Amino acid sequence: QTREPGRNDPCPCGSGLKYKKCCLANNTIQVLRQRLLEAVAEANWQSVLSLAEELNSVDPQVQRGEALARYYLGQRKPAYGLLRQASERDSDDLELLAALADLELDHDLAKAQRLAGQVLAMDAMQWRAALVLAACHARRNEADKVEPILRELTQSHPQCDLAWQRLWSFLSGERRIDEQLAVARLWPQVCAQ
């Protein structure tokens, strides 16, 4: 029967380090990293953030998890730099790019629109990027481009409350009360299905 080495025993791998500084530490990091990846998959953002802080790692998946956690928890300012770094490493990660496009609305409207367009070119069904694109057009007072995006989004993603909210607000701003009331009647019915 083999006994588990104590924390201060020499590591059985032969590294010459104590077990706690070698294989025990590596196993602990692997377990924490796996828990972080599971929390990301479950969208348990508070757990992701806690695990990322505990890991304090430069591992790209840990940093991606922390960036998304901060974004989804509404921590826009710290999320911005993290999302920029993560998206530079993985320029095909549509979730990162869409989140970054949303945050770019606070910094650089042209970049937000470019990123949203890039995401939509790779996945026309990416609702967050579509909302960013609609916001870009709204900020440029291009109402003729805002409405089609929002209407398409409520059709393709009827459970997306933000799409319905933005369409309702858009119609309110345009003083199109009859259409606004129609949206208000349709919205809860669609979302209840």
Side-chain angles (χ1 to χ4, degrees):
Q1 177 178 348
T2 314
R3 92 171 172 83
E4 183 75 19
R7 292 174 50 81
N8 290 316
D9 290 344
C11 191
C13 76
S15 67
L17 298 172
K18 290 183 179 182
Y19 181 58
K20 68 181 177 186
K21 294 286 187 176
C22 188
C23 290
L24 178 62
N26 289 337
N27 288 339
T28 302
I29 289 170
Q30 288 175 345
V31 168
L32 290 175
R33 190 172 178 277
Q34 183 58 40
R35 287 178 47 205
L36 179 133
L37 295 175
E38 290 167 2
V40 168
E42 296 167 359
N44 184 344
W45 301 117
Q46 195 59 55
S47 290
V48 170
L49 193 55
S50 295
L51 289 162
E53 288 172 352
E54 190 172 343
L55 283 163
N56 192 24
S57 171
V58 294
D59 176 90
Q61 288 185 310
V62 173
Q63 289 184 336
R64 177 189 188 275
E66 182 182 0
L68 289 172
R70 291 196 182 281
Y71 173 75
Y72 289 124
L73 290 171
Q75 300 173 8
R76 292 176 73 86
K77 190 171 183 175
Y80 181 63
L82 293 169
L83 283 169
R84 287 180 60 184
Q85 289 174 347
S87 66
E88 286 172 9
R89 277 193 302 272
D90 189 357
S91 60
D92 292 332
D93 187 322
L94 300 184
E95 186 175 16
L96 286 176
L97 293 175
L100 181 57
D102 180 32
L103 294 182
E104 284 295 353
L105 288 171
D106 300 339
H107 303 279
D108 185 340
L109 194 60
K111 189 170 185 180
Q113 185 168 352
R114 183 182 54 74
L115 284 169
Q118 180 182 340
V119 170
L120 291 169
M122 292 187 273
D123 179 5
M125 299 298 286
Q126 219 295 341
W127 63 270
R128 188 174 309 281
L131 284 175
V132 170
L133 189 59
C136 290
H137 290 307
R139 290 180 184 189
R140 289 192 174 108
N141 294 318
E142 299 169 341
D144 59 318
K145 295 179 181 178
V146 175
E147 185 175 1
I149 293 170
L150 294 176
R151 289 207 181 266
E152 172 61 31
L153 198 50
T154 58
Q155 295 299 312
S156 63
H157 291 79
Q159 305 299 57
C160 181
D161 275 337
L162 283 174
W164 289 100
Q165 289 170 5
R166 303 252 170 97
L167 178 58
W168 190 86
S169 293
F170 171 79
L171 294 170
S172 175
E174 295 286 306
R175 302 197 191 311
R176 293 164 47 192
I177 295 170
D178 290 341
E179 291 176 69
Q180 186 182 6
L181 291 173
V183 165
R185 282 191 299 274
L186 186 58
W187 177 6
Q189 292 172 2
V190 171
C191 292
Q193 294 176 355

